[in-house]
Amino acid sequence: MDTAPATARRGRPGHDREGVLDAAVALFNERGYDATSVADVAGRLGVTKSALYHHFPSKEAVLDIALGRALDSLEATLDRPRGERTALEELRDVFRGATDALVANLPYVTLLLRVRGNGEVEQRALSRRRTFDQRVTALVAEAQRDGDIRDDVDAAVAARLIFGMINSLVEWYRPDGPIDGSRLGHDVVTLAIDGLLPPASV
Amino acid sequence: MDTAPATARRGRPGHDREGVLDAAVALFNERGYDATSVADVAGRLGVTKSALYHHFPSKEAVLDIALGRALDSLEATLDRPRGERTALEELRDVFRGATDALVANLPYVTLLLRVRGNGEVEQRALSRRRTFDQRVTALVAEAQRDGDIRDDVDAAVAARLIFGMINSLVEWYRPDGPIDGSRLGHDVVTLAIDGLLPPASV
């Protein structure tokens, strides 16, 4: 396993660890994990299979690291200490942070959202996703108890609907498309918290 | 092709057209359309392949009819004459109607949302989805021009985010689960239009 800093040698695809990871994730998303072989990844990069095994012990290890990266970026939004924030303020930060994490790690989160639980690596990723969902639901419930948000929508349903909105980015947002990715965090927070009704009616 | 009314002989799976359609859609969702053969569908139903060909000329015809059913149910929400409704009122009805259509036709819409455009049938379905999205975006833009909803979120982005919320149902709503499907239309409309903030703050 190459233990050099992940970003140190970017720009030489196939010869650095990041390049291998990016190429593998792209292929997993295009063809599915099961349908992609180590030889396919090597072929895409124009290197030998043994060049890949220099970086990763197995295809499963690549999947594990890729899913871990997606989950780490999402969980980071919940792992910040609460500090002075109310539950509602933390929710805003989580919605915005998760949206920014999706935009920044689009192929990795796309892979995560397609995981169906085949094998131990995928099972572990699904378990971390469930824990994430439960923590968001708990935050929604806390903001409801604070009286800061409506309580006529079940906390778990609200959490799932709002993350449905965020996760839908992997279906329609393209970094090279016309939509400004840096604006999406604002748009998600606005719709989730304030809704479509104009501020004037508040 | 069996031209008997689709619902006339429900309850005899494998021997009526609806039963074949339901079984085929379930298998397409479990294994993927390409990985499912007519023999698989026959096997699931415990009938011969020729029993299936009595109802449908080909696997592609089954896909076409299944995707058409999902699209018809969604488009029906937009096809009601505007009448006395404002654009905002129509939007509410479309969000609620689309949510109810998803709940009522869950396996069919699940299949539709997984379509990636392989082959002519899938291309046609994607084209109808695009037209649907454009019509919803036009409604959002009209409500913005009316001054009835905020205009600091792009109409196309708002439409995609809200349908992301609705479409996420296929990932987490289960008819036999703890969530009341008949309530989801209310929850979606509430979040999309009013947001999480409590009515008291309006």
Side-chain angles (χ1 to χ4, degrees):
Chain A
M1 259 305 215
D2 184 355
T3 52
T7 52
R9 297 187 299 171
R10 255 206 180 270
R12 296 190 306 172
H15 300 281
D16 66 7
R17 200 165 176 271
E18 279 298 296
V20 172
L21 206 47
D22 285 350
V25 168
L27 278 169
F28 295 165
N29 284 332
E30 284 167 31
R31 306 179 186 177
Y33 172 75
D34 290 331
T36 304
S37 67
V38 174
D40 293 333
V41 179
R44 168 71 59 102
L45 291 166
V47 301
T48 63
K49 286 209 291 181
S50 71
L52 301 191
Y53 284 120
H54 171 67
H55 296 297
F56 300 100
S58 65
K59 188 175 86 158
E60 204 176 31
V62 177
L63 180 67
D64 196 20
I65 291 165
L67 295 177
R69 178 174 296 193
L71 285 158
D72 288 347
S73 73
L74 291 168
E75 289 166 0
T77 66
L78 276 168
D79 288 340
R80 273 184 58 203
R82 166 69 65 82
E84 304 284 305
R85 296 176 295 168
T86 63
L88 173 56
E89 285 164 348
E90 188 175 347
L91 262 187
R92 278 184 201 272
D93 292 342
V94 169
F95 295 157
R96 178 182 290 260
T99 306
D100 291 345
L102 247 80
V103 168
N105 303 288
L106 198 62
Y108 291 83
V109 182
T110 302
L111 185 65
L112 174 66
L113 295 177
R114 291 187 185 163
V115 156
R116 288 289 170 263
N118 305 321
E120 197 215 319
V121 167
E122 295 198 3
Q123 283 293 342
R124 213 159 351 110
L126 281 189
S127 161
R128 281 176 71 180
R129 274 195 71 188
R130 274 193 297 272
T131 302
F132 181 87
D133 289 346
Q134 286 159 2
R135 290 174 70 188
V136 175
T137 297
L139 256 187
V140 172
E142 187 183 341
Q144 286 178 329
R145 284 195 303 275
D146 291 345
D148 285 343
I149 62 172
R150 60 171 62 243
D151 59 7
D152 60 343
V153 176
D154 176 76
V157 171
R160 283 174 183 279
L161 286 173
I162 291 167
F163 267 85
M165 184 155 86
I166 295 171
N167 293 339
S168 77
L169 293 185
V170 307
E171 301 294 334
W172 55 266
Y173 170 67
R174 295 294 168 262
D176 52 357
I179 293 169
D180 177 3
S182 68
R183 194 105 184 136
L184 289 171
H186 160 274
D187 292 347
V188 164
V189 169
T190 300
L191 285 184
I193 308 285
D194 301 301
L196 277 175
L197 290 184
S201 71
V202 175
Chain B
M1 223 34 147
D2 184 354
T3 53
T7 53
R9 296 189 298 172
R10 257 206 178 268
R12 295 190 306 173
H15 300 280
D16 66 6
R17 200 163 176 272
E18 279 297 295
V20 172
L21 205 47
D22 286 349
V25 168
L27 278 169
F28 295 165
N29 283 332
E30 284 167 33
R31 306 179 185 179
Y33 172 74
D34 290 331
T36 304
S37 68
V38 173
D40 292 333
V41 180
R44 170 71 59 103
L45 291 166
V47 301
T48 61
K49 287 209 291 181
S50 72
L52 302 190
Y53 285 120
H54 172 67
H55 296 296
F56 299 99
S58 65
K59 187 174 86 158
E60 202 176 31
V62 176
L63 180 68
D64 197 20
I65 290 165
L67 296 176
R69 178 173 297 192
L71 285 158
D72 288 348
S73 73
L74 291 168
E75 290 166 359
T77 66
L78 276 168
D79 287 341
R80 273 183 56 202
R82 166 69 63 88
E84 304 284 306
R85 295 176 297 167
T86 63
L88 173 56
E89 285 164 348
E90 187 174 348
L91 263 187
R92 277 185 202 271
D93 293 341
V94 169
F95 295 156
R96 178 181 289 263
T99 305
D100 291 344
L102 248 78
V103 169
N105 303 287
L106 199 63
Y108 291 82
V109 182
T110 301
L111 185 67
L112 174 66
L113 295 178
R114 292 188 184 162
V115 155
R116 288 289 170 264
N118 303 321
E120 199 216 319
V121 166
E122 294 198 3
Q123 283 293 340
R124 216 167 341 116
L126 280 189
S127 161
R128 281 177 70 181
R129 273 195 72 188
R130 273 193 298 274
T131 302
F132 180 87
D133 288 346
Q134 286 159 1
R135 290 174 70 189
V136 175
T137 297
L139 256 187
V140 172
E142 188 183 340
Q144 286 178 326
R145 284 194 304 276
D146 291 346
D148 286 342
I149 62 172
R150 60 173 61 245
D151 59 6
D152 60 343
V153 176
D154 176 77
V157 171
R160 282 174 183 281
L161 286 173
I162 291 167
F163 266 86
M165 185 155 85
I166 295 170
N167 293 340
S168 78
L169 293 185
V170 306
E171 301 293 335
W172 54 267
Y173 170 68
R174 295 293 169 263
D176 52 359
I179 294 170
D180 177 4
S182 68
R183 197 66 216 154
L184 289 170
H186 160 274
D187 292 347
V188 164
V189 169
T190 299
L191 284 183
I193 307 284
D194 300 301
L196 277 176
L197 289 185
S201 71
V202 174

